[in-house]
Amino acid sequence: MFSIKRYGVELSGALALYAALLLGANAADRLLQPEGAMKIALALLPILGTVAVAWTVLRGLRRMDELQRRIQFDAIALSFTGTALATFAWGFAEDAGAPELRAFHVWPLMAVLWVVGVCIAQWRYR
């Protein structure tokens, strides 16, 4: 059974883990100034936190009832489609002189579109 309070606690914990790993990795990078494989390992360390966030989201989705899952499916579909169209269009714009889009900027776009999709789907299904 899905509980928004339980989900919030789990998601907050996963996000706190991500933040701690990010801050720790950045501090270690500044302090140690590593090179090579160690620099890459430190740069990738926060990914462990994002894995925890993804796991929490997937667990939450599995606990939802059919309507909540449908709302999330609609939101994810909008997010996927919108992100695909935006990045594809930006790729063409780069050929016309627009600045290069870093992959690091794709996830925030996807997240914003997911939130917009949830709002639209909730409005549609009420």
Side-chain angles (χ1 to χ4, degrees):
M1 181 60 133
F2 183 76
S3 162
I4 192 73
K5 185 176 180 179
R6 180 177 176 184
Y7 178 70
V9 168
E10 291 175 0
L11 187 59
S12 295
L15 289 168
L17 173 64
Y18 166 73
L21 291 171
L22 180 63
L23 293 172
N26 286 340
D29 186 57
R30 281 191 307 277
L31 183 67
L32 302 174
Q33 297 181 354
E35 294 181 10
M38 182 63 159
K39 186 164 185 73
I40 292 171
L42 274 175
L44 293 175
L45 186 61
I47 295 300
L48 296 174
T50 62
V51 168
V53 170
W55 179 261
T56 301
V57 170
L58 291 173
R59 282 175 39 115
L61 286 170
R62 280 188 237 116
R63 292 180 190 148
M64 291 178 181
D65 65 30
E66 290 180 26
L67 178 59
Q68 290 170 323
R69 281 187 198 158
R70 178 62 191 207
I71 288 169
Q72 290 299 320
F73 174 79
D74 287 0
I76 291 167
L78 177 102
S79 176
F80 174 85
T81 305
T83 301
L85 291 172
T87 56
F88 196 62
W90 195 267
F92 284 115
E94 285 178 4
D95 289 339
E100 192 171 309
L101 177 68
R102 293 185 56 210
F104 200 71
H105 296 116
V106 174
W107 164 240
L109 171 63
M110 193 180 302
V112 167
L113 290 175
W114 187 1
V115 170
V116 168
V118 166
C119 293
I120 291 169
Q122 285 178 334
W123 176 76
R124 276 186 56 208
Y125 289 114
R126 60 178 163 121

